Structure formats: C-alpha cells, structure tokens
C-alpha cells in the first residue's frame, strides 16, 4: 500500500487552474483533483494513479530546473572568462549529463563506467511504472539534443573555423615553387595559430569536465572525431608539405590528425 506520499498531495491544491502539462493525461489530473477521497475510501488504484501523477510532476519540475541552471551556467562561464568554445559547450554538457542520469535512474540502470560508487549505486528501482512514456521520451530527446549542441558548439565551430575551402580562396604561390607568397603564408599561419590556440583552450578547460557514464563518454568522443577530423585532416594534409613560413613551421603543425 502506497501511504508515505499522502501528505504530498496537499501541496497541489491549486493544480486545477494549471493547464495540462506535456506528460499529463486528463486521467492523471482527475486523480489529483480527487485529493484524498480515494484514500479515505480505501481505493488503492486511485492512490497509485495519484502517485504516478505526482511523480511525473516532480520529475518534470526537476527537468525544468536543470534547464534553467544550464542557461545560467552558460552566462556565468562567459562572464567568468572561460574560452568561447568551452563556455559554449558546458551548458549543453551539464544538461546532457543530468538528463542522461535521470533516464538511467528512472529505468533502474547503473552507470556503465568507472563512475563514483555513489552514482553507480544510486538506484536499483525501476520507476517506469509510475512515469509516463511521454516524459521518458522527452528526457531521451533532451539528452540527444544536448549532445548535438555540445558537439556543434565546440567541435563543429572549430571545424568550420579551419574549413579548407575558406583558407584556399585567393592563395598565391611563388612562381614554380611550393612556397606561398608572404601574404598567403600569413593567412595559413593565422589559421593554424587560431586552431592551436582553440585546442589549447579546449584542453585546458575541458580536462576538468566530467561525463560519468562511459557509454555516453565514448559516444561524445566518436562524435567529436567525426565532426572535426575530416576538415582538419584535409587542411593539415594540404599545407604540411607547403612552405607557408620561412622558419618554425613545426610550431604551427603541432597537432597531427593521425
């Protein structure tokens, strides 16, 4: 018998004036509006329906709070001086991690990794019976969208920055040589320098980022490679055999894509 949540329904007295939320059905709302009448009559099914409605309300509110915190995260990082790539990606990583953890917790799955013990053992109870499929689908969509935005804001932006078609336009070579003219060499050096600086910034800040679930971490790693390497490899291969600087070319060719 589900009795420990009975006092929680007293807090939802005003719920009747709120429009149906995305996860709610008319039956869920009706169950809440019944208040404690079902309990007093000993209606077990009514109490379970109320618990389902309240649990959905609780988790939906948690997700809403996480979204708000993610937005504040982004503003705070930019104002705090974090580099543009890491600052742009961190809010999405925060929301992705937490939404993914909520999904695993609801389904009673452990985190698949060398995660902290407190996280791995956080839940062994399957909550899918009291949470709507609509809410679970919403959580999965949040994870996927946050992952996509993280990759695009960090690695997609960097890939676009190093895109070869932008660099190659208007380049001039010294006649009958593989050496670029002074001005064209400066353009290529500027591209490599900007890429190297961005990579240093990303490493400096993101080495402190945490993705506790190994499967999610592996997925991010592969998506990052798929997004960045084609553009950077094409750029690197094109200019590593070209003399774009009279000296210290190795300082620009610091990051090999191989």
């Amino acid at each position: 018998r589900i009795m420990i949540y009975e006092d929680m329904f007293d807090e939802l007295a005003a719920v009747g004036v709120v429009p149906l939320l995305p996860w709610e059905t008319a039956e869920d709302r009706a169950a809440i509006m019944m208040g404690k009448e079902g309990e007093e009559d000993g209606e077990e099914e009514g109490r379970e329906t109320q618990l389902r409605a309240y649990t959905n309300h609780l988790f939906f509110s948690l997700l809403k709070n996480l979204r708000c915190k993610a937005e504040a995260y982004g503003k705070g990082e930019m104002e705090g001086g974090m580099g543009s790539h890491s600052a742009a990606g961190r809010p999405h990583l925060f929301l992705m991690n937490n939404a993914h953890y909520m999904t695993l917790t609801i389904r009673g799955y452990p985190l698949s990794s060398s995660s902290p013990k407190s996280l791995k053992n956080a839940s062994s109870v399957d909550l899918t019976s009291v949470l709507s499929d609509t809410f679970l689908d919403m959580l999965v969509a949040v994870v996927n969208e946050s992952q996509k935005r993280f990759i695009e804001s960090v690695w997609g932006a960097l890939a676009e920055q190093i895109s070869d078609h932008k660099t190659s336009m208007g380049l001039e070579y010294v006649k009958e040589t593989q050496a670029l003219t002074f001005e064209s060499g400066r353009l290529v050096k500027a591209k490599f320098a900007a890429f190297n600086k961005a990579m240093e910034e990303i490493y400096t800040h993101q080495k402190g980022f945490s993705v506790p679930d190994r499967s999610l971490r592996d997925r991010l790693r592969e998506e990052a490679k798929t997004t960045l390497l084609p553009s950077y490899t094409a750029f690197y291969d094109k200019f590593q055999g070209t003399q774009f600087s009279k000296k210290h070319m190795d300082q620009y060719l610091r990051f090999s894509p191989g």
Side-chain angles (χ1 to χ4, degrees):
R1 296 176 63 83
I2 303 173
M3 301 295 291
I4 60 173
Y5 295 98
E6 59 183 11
D7 294 336
M8 295 182 181
F9 300 113
D10 294 336
E11 301 174 8
L12 301 179
V15 76
V17 300
V18 179
L20 288 177
L21 296 172
W23 48 263
E24 262 189 317
T25 65
E27 289 76 16
D28 291 335
R29 177 58 60 84
I32 295 177
M33 295 304 293
M34 286 171 58
K36 288 187 170 184
E37 294 177 3
E39 293 180 12
E40 293 171 356
D41 295 337
E43 297 179 4
E44 184 73 21
E45 184 177 348
R47 285 196 299 275
E48 291 180 0
T49 303
Q50 291 176 26
L51 174 60
R52 179 177 180 273
Y54 183 79
T55 304
N56 277 274
H57 175 79
L58 192 66
F59 274 82
F60 187 84
S61 297
L62 176 58
L63 180 59
K64 181 180 178 181
N65 289 338
L66 288 172
R67 287 183 183 276
C68 292
K69 185 165 180 64
E71 292 178 6
Y73 232 145
K75 294 176 183 178
E77 299 298 358
M78 290 295 287
E79 294 169 359
M82 178 176 282
S84 60
H85 291 89
S86 294
R90 191 164 189 174
H92 306 305
L93 189 70
F94 170 82
L95 187 57
M96 179 192 65
N97 267 334
N98 282 278
H100 183 65
Y101 182 61
M102 285 176 67
T103 304
L104 295 181
T105 301
I106 289 168
R107 290 173 172 165
Y109 297 162
L111 287 171
S112 60
S113 69
S114 54
S115 308
K117 185 176 180 181
S118 59
L119 290 180
K120 288 195 289 186
N121 297 331
S123 175
S124 58
V125 179
D126 186 348
L127 298 175
T128 54
S129 62
V130 292
L131 280 163
S132 69
D133 292 339
T134 302
F135 181 75
L136 279 171
D137 291 343
M138 184 189 304
L139 270 182
V140 172
V142 168
V143 174
N144 292 337
E145 181 63 20
S146 298
Q147 175 185 321
K148 178 182 176 182
R149 291 187 177 186
F150 173 76
I151 293 296
E152 288 178 349
S153 63
V154 179
W155 303 109
L158 189 54
E160 180 65 20
Q161 178 181 315
I162 206 69
S163 178
D164 179 58
H165 75 271
K166 290 186 175 182
T167 308
S168 298
M169 292 176 63
L171 291 182
E172 297 180 354
Y173 290 81
V174 177
K175 190 175 181 180
E176 297 181 357
T177 72
Q178 290 296 313
L180 290 171
T181 62
F182 178 75
E183 287 300 325
S184 293
R186 286 181 59 186
L187 290 175
V188 175
K189 285 192 290 185
K191 279 285 187 179
F192 272 113
F195 179 85
N196 293 341
K197 181 180 179 181
M199 286 295 292
E200 289 171 354
E201 178 264 308
I202 290 171
Y203 174 75
T204 298
H205 293 291
Q206 296 197 12
K207 68 181 180 180
F209 289 5
S210 175
V211 181
D213 187 70
R214 183 173 58 195
S215 64
L216 187 57
R217 193 165 60 243
D218 291 344
R219 207 160 75 204
L220 282 175
R221 185 181 293 115
E222 290 306 311
E223 284 291 325
K225 290 179 181 178
T226 301
T227 301
L228 177 64
L229 284 181
S231 294
Y232 181 61
T233 300
F235 178 78
Y236 186 94
D237 290 347
K238 182 177 181 109
F239 292 108
Q240 70 167 330
T242 300
Q243 185 179 342
F244 57 83
S245 178
K246 290 184 178 181
K247 54 183 179 179
H248 306 308
M249 279 185 53
D250 59 320
Q251 293 182 5
Y252 297 97
L253 301 171
R254 291 177 53 197
F255 297 102
S256 170

